[in-house]
Amino acid sequence: MRTTATTRRPSRQLKKHIVPAERLGVNFTVYVQDDGETKIPRCTVLVLHDLGVDHKSYRPWIGSIEMDGVRERCTFLHVDFPGQEDDAVDLPSDKYPSLDDIARELVNVINLFNHNQVVVVGEGAGANVGLRFAISYPERVLGLCLMHPTASSASLWETVKDKFANWRLLKQGMNPQTEAFLLWHRYGDASINPDMESRLKEFHDTLYRKRNPKNLALFIQAFQNRTNITDRLELLNCDVMVVVGKRSPYASNCAHFYEVLCDVRRKRSMTMENSPLLEVEGAGDVLEEAPGKVSLSFQFFLQGIGLVAALPMHPELVGQGRRASRTYSMEEMDKPGRRNSLLGCTRKDSISESPISESPTD
């Protein structure tokens, strides 16, 4: 699927911070990425990872050339969930905090760095945590960009599959069966894509050499035990961008989530104009297989909620949606702003398997 290479622009060194969550008895590891000039008004993006990976899983996307303009105007707070960072020591407890507990603790993370409002980006388990955070703290979230989200509890089939993988992980450490489950969870059937061979090998090496098996098993268990929050979507006030690869095993879950979100907002007379469902053909993990396309949509999403407005519109985005009628100064245009909710129609964007940019990993 990926046929055109894009050279990644160098990023400044990420600053590492250990953020204690005293109530939970664990620590978050937070990496601050700020590649822009201090004189440019900035927005803050809170980044949450999926199972089996850490903050580095976002490198191909955030490091792509298509993200240059956004990266210069945003501060990224990359959160590694407790015990999921490279070479982590065993967590002190045999029970992982619930996804709701983790979500509620994130408010202390953004408070520590003196950020009042954030855009949340989450993938898989991170998308579920981000969704819970936005529901619990609606005044702190300007927008949600969710990759492969689900708001329902785990199905019986998923529960059985997860429990078997977890049992082996706790008893044996990383093993082929658990690796197969995590490959399925992250990439779906993207392993048939020859372009993904090096990425799959990198993922394999990370699982066996960098992930703490006990901590990962506890995190998987917390995701497996997630509660259904579909009936809480009416508490969600911000715009939501949903992204899913057609080869993802959670493609149908994402479609259902989006349908429920549309129904809820229709009943509340809220717009879906800046809340698209982006479906990427031929992809399992959209961030690794289609970083360029996701970047363009993310820029459009941010500008739709009044952020990075001074960033020139990419040629592929010109003519999509409404353009702001008010004229802003350069400084005003990059200040966070919220749009009033208006009645509008839904947007569903589909990306075909046309050549796209690739951003190599470090």
Side-chain angles (χ1 to χ4, degrees):
M1 178 177 174
R2 299 173 304 150
T3 58
T4 304
T6 297
T7 302
R8 177 127 44 93
R9 300 292 176 86
S11 174
R12 295 178 184 175
Q13 187 70 30
L14 274 62
K15 298 177 182 178
K16 179 180 178 180
H17 303 265
I18 304 298
V19 182
E22 296 180 1
R23 185 177 64 87
L24 303 180
V26 294
N27 296 326
F28 291 88
T29 305
V30 180
Y31 293 84
V32 180
Q33 179 179 355
D34 194 339
D35 293 349
E37 299 296 332
T38 56
K39 63 182 180 180
I40 299 178
R42 326 194 56 65
C43 68
T44 304
V45 182
L46 185 69
V47 186
L48 309 173
H49 65 80
D50 197 5
L51 302 177
V53 296
D54 61 8
H55 69 282
K56 293 188 294 296
S57 64
Y58 284 91
R59 282 182 178 175
W61 176 48
I62 295 178
S64 65
I65 284 181
E66 290 85 352
M67 282 286 284
D68 279 355
V70 171
R71 201 167 55 245
E72 290 169 358
R73 290 167 170 81
C74 294
T75 297
F76 294 88
L77 302 181
H78 299 270
V79 177
D80 282 351
F81 293 125
Q84 306 309 306
E85 67 276 10
D86 283 353
D87 304 315
V89 299
D90 284 355
L91 291 169
S93 173
D94 289 333
K95 181 175 174 57
Y96 206 78
S98 70
L99 299 191
D100 274 320
D101 286 336
I102 295 173
R104 284 191 288 264
E105 201 64 35
L106 289 176
V107 72
N108 296 321
V109 172
I110 63 175
N111 285 343
L112 180 66
F113 295 100
N114 298 314
H115 296 286
N116 184 42
Q117 293 178 303
V118 298
V119 173
V120 178
V121 172
E123 181 184 17
N128 193 279
V129 172
L131 186 59
R132 293 170 191 270
F133 175 69
I135 290 172
S136 298
Y137 299 96
E139 74 284 355
R140 307 300 295 271
V141 180
L142 295 169
L144 280 172
C145 177
L146 305 178
M147 324 282 181
H148 309 144
T150 177
S152 59
S153 55
S155 66
L156 177 61
W157 182 84
E158 185 183 346
T159 298
V160 172
K161 194 177 183 72
D162 289 1
K163 282 187 175 180
F164 180 72
N166 253 17
W167 180 83
R168 284 189 172 274
L169 190 56
L170 285 169
K171 296 294 184 181
Q172 304 174 10
M174 187 53 62
N175 59 86
Q177 289 76 20
T178 302
E179 178 191 2
F181 160 73
L182 291 168
L183 283 169
W184 168 84
H185 170 85
R186 184 162 182 79
Y187 298 105
D189 63 354
S191 56
I192 65 176
N193 183 352
D195 291 339
M196 290 295 294
E197 183 176 349
S198 63
R199 295 287 173 82
L200 297 177
K201 182 181 184 305
E202 181 182 355
F203 186 60
H204 165 90
D205 292 343
T206 298
L207 290 177
Y208 281 88
R209 298 178 183 178
K210 293 296 184 179
R211 296 284 85 86
N212 180 304
K214 173 194 171 183
N215 297 351
L216 177 55
L218 295 178
F219 187 31
I220 294 173
Q221 190 174 62
F223 182 65
Q224 167 197 316
N225 293 334
R226 67 189 182 273
T227 55
N228 188 343
I229 54 174
T230 303
D231 59 351
R232 296 169 60 192
L233 292 180
E234 63 183 18
L235 302 176
L236 197 63
N237 294 325
C238 63
D239 288 334
V240 183
M241 173 180 168
V242 178
V243 185
V244 60
K246 285 291 191 71
R247 287 180 176 172
S248 168
Y250 298 99
S252 60
N253 299 67
C254 294
H256 176 68
F257 166 76
Y258 190 75
E259 288 175 4
V260 173
L261 182 64
C262 288
D263 289 341
V264 169
R265 300 217 157 171
R266 190 176 299 112
K267 292 175 182 177
R268 295 180 62 195
S269 298
M270 292 180 64
T271 183
M272 290 292 290
E273 182 177 345
N274 194 48
S275 293
L277 170 62
L278 180 66
E279 296 178 309
V280 184
E281 295 284 352
D285 183 346
V286 293
L287 292 182
E288 293 198 10
E289 297 178 78
K293 294 296 184 181
V294 177
S295 299
L296 298 180
S297 297
F298 185 61
Q299 175 188 335
F300 190 53
F301 175 72
L302 291 179
Q303 292 177 323
I305 55 179
L307 302 171
V308 301
L311 181 62
M313 184 67 73
H314 190 280
E316 289 189 32
L317 300 179
V318 173
Q320 296 188 40
R322 295 183 307 171
R323 298 298 299 271
S325 58
R326 178 184 168 192
T327 302
Y328 295 85
S329 67
M330 290 295 288
E331 182 174 356
E332 280 184 303
M333 289 175 74
D334 268 326
K335 289 182 179 178
R338 299 299 305 272
R339 294 185 311 153
N340 293 327
S341 292
L342 301 171
L343 280 173
C345 58
T346 60
R347 281 182 54 214
K348 180 177 178 180
D349 301 327
S350 182
I351 291 179
S352 63
E353 294 188 65
S354 56
I356 61 174
S357 299
E358 174 187 7
S359 175
T361 55
D362 287 339

